[in-house]
Amino acid sequence: MKENPKHIRISEYNYPLPDERIAKFPLPVRDQSKLLIYRHGEVSEDVFTSLPEYLPAGSLMIFNNTKVIQARLHFRKETGALIEVFCLEPIQPNDYVLNFQQTEHAAWLCVVGNLKKWKDGPLCREMTVKGFPITLTATRGECRGTSHWIDFRWDNPEVTFADILEVFGELPIPPYLNRDTEESDKETYQTVYSKIKGSVAAPTAGLHFTPRVLDALTEKGIDLEELTLHVGAGTFKPVKSEEIEGHEMHTEYISVSRSIIKKLIDHDACAIAVGTTSVRTLESLYHIGVTLANNPEATEEQLHVKQWQPYETECDVRPVVALQKILGYLDRHGMEALHTSTQIIIAPGYDYKIVKAMVTNFHQPQSTLLLLVSAFVKGNWHTIYDYALGHDFRFLSYGDSSLLIP
C-alpha cells in the first residue's frame, strides 16, 4: 500500500511570490516564453521554441483540447445592483455539448457575485443575438455548497445557449491577475488547438504552443494526440486546511477517445503530458482501468476517480493492462470515447503510472498543483522554483513554462 499523503502539511509547499513576478499579460509572441528544463535533477533554461530538441523521437505527447467558455454573465437589477452569474458546470442537461445546444432553457451550477443583492425573483436581460432580440432570465434554485442551481430561459428557439454565452458572456481570467478581462484575452487565453467548449480556466501550459512548434514536434517524429478535461473553477481554490486531508478536490469531466487509448497501449502506456490537466486525466485513466480490472461490470458512476482512490486501493495492475481493460469496456458498450469524471489528488506519495515527462507552468504557493509537481520530481520542487525565481522567470497562467523529466 502506498504512503497516504493525507497528513502532508500544505505550509511546507510555500515559497515567496511577489506580485511583480506574476505575468499579468502574455508575451506578444507566445512561443518566445522561457523554458526551464529539469532533467534528472539538473536545471537549465532555453526558449520555448527549442522544446522539440529535448524530447525523444517516437514519443507520444498528449494535449488537452478544452476551450474556455465565456462563463460570466452580468445582470443589472432595477435597483442598479450588478449581479454576476458565473457558470461552472451544466446540470440540465448535464452533458456540455447538449447543454450548449439548448434553445429555450438550460440549467447550470453557478457562483453568484453580489448574492446578497439578489433576494428573490428572476434576473432579466434584454439582448440581441444573431440578429434576434431576446430576453434572458435567470432564476435562482437550490444552494449547493458555495454554488447555486440557476435556470436560464430565453424566448427565441433560433438562439442556443452557446450563442448567448458567445455574445454576452465574459471570459473568466484567473482572479490573481487582479484586472478586468480585455478583448485580447479572448485569443491569448485559449490554446491554438482548443476545440471542445466547457472550461472556465485555460489549460495554461498549452498557451505556449504555436503552429510552428507543433510542426517542429511532428517533424521530430513525436506523435501528437488530444483528450479533453474541462477545467473547473476549483483549480484556483486555495488549500485552506493545515493538512491536505481537509481539502476537497473539485470534480472535473473528462473525455478520451478509443483511438487515444489504443495509441497509449501502442506506446507501452508512456506519454509526455502538456499541462497538469492532461497529467490528471492520464493518471486517472490508470485508476479507471484498475476499477475495471476488479469489476468488469462497473457502471459509468463507478468509474469516477475519487480523490484518495489511488492511495487506498492496491495498484499492482500493469498500466498497459489497465488501458486494455478500458478498451474492452468501450468495445463491450459500443462506445467510441470514455466519458467520466475525476477528483484525483496527486501529491507526494503518489506513484506515476503513465506520465513520463510533463510541460507545465509555475504554480501558486500552497496549491494542489505544486503538490502534483513535487510528487513528479520526488520532492525536488524547491530546486526548480528557486532557479525560476532567481532567473527572472514569469509565473502563473500567462507566465513561462518548464519541461520536467524526472
Side-chain angles (χ1 to χ4, degrees):
M1 192 70 72
K2 282 282 154 213
E3 172 195 346
N4 195 316
K6 288 184 181 179
H7 299 302
I8 286 173
R9 299 177 72 80
I10 197 64
S11 58
E12 292 169 14
Y13 294 82
N14 202 0
Y15 69 90
L17 180 59
D19 186 64
E20 62 268 18
R21 300 307 297 273
I22 299 171
K24 301 296 192 293
F25 291 92
L27 296 176
V29 181
R30 54 173 84 200
D31 63 13
Q32 292 304 294
S33 52
K34 286 166 67 137
L35 176 68
L36 180 148
I37 299 102
Y38 173 88
R39 273 191 297 191
H40 321 308
E42 297 294 316
V43 181
S44 60
E45 67 176 90
D46 207 327
V47 67
F48 193 81
T49 42
S50 303
L51 174 70
E53 297 166 23
Y54 296 94
L55 302 176
S59 46
L60 173 63
M61 195 168 206
I62 306 272
F63 298 80
N64 180 7
N65 64 11
T66 188
K67 189 170 185 127
V68 185
I69 58 171
Q70 293 178 197
R72 288 192 156 116
L73 287 162
H74 293 101
F75 294 84
R76 196 169 287 284
K77 295 197 68 180
E78 289 167 4
T79 57
L82 188 67
I83 312 289
E84 179 182 279
V85 180
F86 185 173
C87 299
L88 293 183
E89 62 184 76
I91 311 175
Q92 209 175 36
N94 65 1
D95 176 274
Y96 282 86
V97 176
L98 289 178
N99 195 294
F100 290 134
Q101 290 170 351
Q102 293 302 296
T103 56
E104 288 174 9
H105 166 256
W108 281 67
L109 197 59
C110 302
V111 170
V112 180
N114 208 6
L115 180 65
K116 61 183 182 295
K117 291 286 172 66
W118 187 7
K119 297 284 191 288
D120 50 24
L123 301 173
C124 295
R125 180 160 176 183
E126 308 280 327
M127 53 179 75
T128 303
V129 180
K130 289 167 51 180
F132 299 105
I134 66 165
T135 302
L136 176 70
T137 65
T139 308
R140 200 170 90 211
E142 69 184 34
C143 179
R144 295 190 179 180
T146 55
S147 310
H148 283 82
W149 176 306
I150 304 290
D151 284 294
F152 295 102
R153 295 185 189 279
W154 58 103
D155 53 359
N156 194 312
E158 299 292 322
V159 174
T160 66
F161 193 61
D163 294 332
I164 290 170
L165 291 183
E166 200 64 38
V167 176
F168 278 95
E170 183 183 283
L171 199 76
I173 59 171
Y176 47 64
L177 294 184
N178 289 323
R179 66 173 176 81
D180 291 337
T181 301
E182 299 194 4
E183 190 63 25
S184 60
D185 292 307
K186 287 185 181 178
E187 183 181 341
T188 58
Y189 195 59
Q190 300 280 15
T191 62
V192 297
Y193 48 80
S194 66
K195 294 178 186 67
I196 313 296
K197 292 178 179 176
S199 279
V200 297
T204 54
L207 296 178
H208 306 274
F209 287 83
T210 55
R212 67 176 164 186
V213 173
L214 296 169
D215 288 346
L217 288 163
T218 303
E219 282 165 25
K220 178 83 185 266
I222 293 164
D223 210 338
L224 311 182
E225 290 289 344
E226 298 173 0
L227 45 71
T228 307
L229 176 141
H230 289 315
V231 191
T235 191
F236 300 122
K237 184 175 156 192
V239 180
K240 295 213 169 132
S241 51
E242 279 190 24
E243 296 186 345
I244 61 168
E245 183 175 24
H247 182 78
E248 186 184 358
M249 289 293 284
H250 48 295
T251 296
E252 290 175 314
Y253 296 89
I254 60 179
S255 174
V256 183
S257 70
R258 189 178 181 284
S259 61
I260 289 196
I261 306 289
K262 284 189 73 169
K263 190 76 66 92
L264 281 163
I265 293 168
D266 293 343
H267 282 81
D268 200 29
C270 297
I272 301 163
V274 175
T276 55
T277 58
S278 299
V279 170
R280 295 178 65 239
T281 307
L282 289 166
E283 293 299 313
S284 293
L285 287 178
Y286 172 78
H287 298 287
I288 290 164
V290 170
T291 298
L292 287 166
N294 295 328
N295 176 15
E297 301 306 314
T299 64
E300 190 177 322
E301 286 72 30
Q302 289 169 321
L303 296 184
H304 168 80
V305 181
K306 299 187 190 75
Q307 179 163 335
W308 302 107
Q309 185 174 324
Y311 313 93
E312 293 169 346
T313 51
E314 287 294 345
C315 297
D316 51 2
V317 178
R318 283 180 32 245
V320 166
V321 173
L323 292 167
Q324 286 167 339
K325 297 295 181 190
I326 297 176
L327 205 54
Y329 169 85
L330 294 177
D331 289 346
R332 284 195 304 279
H333 292 84
M335 295 159 68
E336 280 305 305
L338 174 72
H339 298 285
T340 184
S341 55
T342 183
Q343 264 181 296
I344 193 170
I345 186 167
I346 297 179
Y350 181 83
D351 183 14
Y352 277 84
K353 301 295 185 183
I354 292 175
V355 177
K356 305 302 178 197
M358 74 170 78
V359 177
T360 187
N361 284 12
F362 298 96
H363 306 291
Q364 287 180 288
Q366 302 193 78
S367 63
T368 56
L369 298 180
L370 193 52
L371 294 174
L372 178 152
V373 167
S374 180
F376 194 63
V377 298
K378 305 288 187 283
N380 207 11
W381 69 273
H382 272 298
T383 302
I384 296 163
Y385 278 66
D386 288 349
Y387 184 97
L389 286 163
H391 290 78
D392 210 29
F393 276 71
R394 298 154 65 251
F395 278 64
L396 308 187
S397 297
Y398 273 143
D400 296 313
S401 70
S402 61
L403 169 64
L404 309 179
I405 305 171

